[in-house]
């Protein structure tokens, strides 16, 4: 049919083989590019991250405070409760106990006993004697007629309370000073006790010894 067309129309409508090949290459490249764009632009499935449950730490058993052993240093004190109490004797009490606690441990004060001169709120000291309703018995080193000076290193609060010008509060200050300093190295150390001035020291210096 081509041969029947005019020569000018055949030349205009004619297609050379190399032109066809070039067009084919262009089409192949275009299809490849389009396919790549479609493939890269397609929706990608998204995988949700796995939920990890928090690991709870095992609960440790509550730590209970250690119970101090009876008689352990610094946790217990030993006092002698004597006089007009229901059950006199040696008592072991927690450190920091007061005279009232010692009386309770001894069964309480006997009815009719005068405790007006007893300071129930005073903190006890290890090794002391709590004497209820009776004067303190004379002990070696106690002051008094024919007795030597009172030892500051071993005297109890009640014994110190018997010194002139020394009441329960000042006697306790002397014992506290002795406990904190590990004793008295000399009588002059009394000057450092809270509540003892020069005049009071002058009255006591001949009645006591370290």
């Amino acid at each position: 049919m081509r041969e029947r067309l005019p020569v000018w129309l055949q030349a205009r409508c004619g297609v050379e083989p190399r032109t066809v090949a070039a067009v084919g290459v262009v089409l192949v490249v275009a299809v490849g590019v389009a396919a790549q764009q479609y493939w890269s632009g397609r929706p990608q499935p998204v995988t949700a991250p796995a939920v990890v449950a928090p690991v709870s730490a095992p609960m440790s058993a509550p730590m209970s405070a250690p119970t101090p052993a009876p008689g352990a240093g610094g946790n217990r004190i030993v006092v002698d409760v004597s006089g007009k109490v229901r059950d006199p004797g040696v008592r072991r009490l927690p450190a920091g106990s007061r005279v009232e606690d010692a009386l309770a441990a001894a069964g309480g004060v006997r009815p009719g006993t005068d405790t007006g001169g007893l300071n129930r709120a005073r903190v006890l000291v290890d090794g002391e004697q709590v004497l209820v309703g009776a004067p303190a018995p004379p002990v070696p080193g106690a002051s008094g007629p024919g007795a030597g000076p009172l030892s500051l290193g071993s005297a109890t609060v009640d014994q110190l309370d018997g010194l002139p010008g020394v009441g329960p509060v000042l006697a306790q200050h002397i014992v506290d000073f002795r406990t904190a300093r590990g004793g008295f190295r000399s009588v002059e150390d009394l000057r450092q006790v809270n509540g003892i001035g020069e005049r009071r020291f002058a009255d006591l210096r001949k009645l006591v010894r370290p």
Side-chain angles (χ1 to χ4, degrees):
M1 182 176 181
R2 180 180 177 185
E3 288 77 6
R4 295 180 181 180
L5 295 174
V7 176
W8 64 269
L9 184 59
Q10 291 183 19
R12 178 170 295 184
C13 295
V15 179
E16 296 293 335
R18 60 183 180 180
T19 302
V20 174
V23 172
V25 171
V26 171
L27 289 175
V28 171
V29 172
V31 171
V33 172
Q36 181 181 7
Q37 293 295 329
Y38 172 78
W39 183 261
S40 61
R42 79 186 190 287
Q44 298 290 334
V46 178
T47 304
V51 178
V52 180
V55 179
S56 58
M59 297 181 61
S60 58
M63 297 180 62
S64 57
T67 303
N75 295 325
R76 310 284 289 185
I77 59 173
V78 180
V79 295
D80 180 16
V81 187
S82 304
K84 297 181 180 181
V85 291
R86 297 181 185 274
D87 186 18
V90 175
R91 296 291 180 269
R92 289 172 174 79
L93 303 172
S97 297
R98 302 179 182 269
V99 172
E100 179 68 17
D101 301 321
L103 298 179
V109 179
R110 293 178 184 177
T113 302
D114 182 15
T115 59
L118 192 63
N119 182 6
R120 293 173 176 259
R122 177 174 58 80
V123 178
L124 295 169
V125 179
D126 182 49
E128 77 166 279
Q129 182 186 48
V130 178
L131 192 59
V132 182
V139 295
S143 61
L150 180 65
S151 172
L152 295 173
S154 60
T156 65
V157 172
D158 292 334
Q159 292 167 357
L160 293 169
D161 190 9
L163 293 171
V166 178
V169 175
L170 184 54
Q172 184 63 47
H173 286 173
I174 295 174
V175 172
D176 292 342
F177 180 88
R178 179 179 67 196
T179 303
R181 300 296 181 89
F184 286 85
R185 291 173 294 180
S186 67
V187 176
E188 298 293 327
D189 289 346
L190 269 180
R191 297 176 183 270
Q192 304 178 39
V193 177
N194 183 25
I196 295 183
E198 290 299 325
R199 182 174 179 180
R200 185 164 294 171
F201 174 75
D203 295 338
L204 295 176
R205 64 184 306 172
K206 296 181 179 180
L207 302 177
V208 295
R209 59 184 174 85

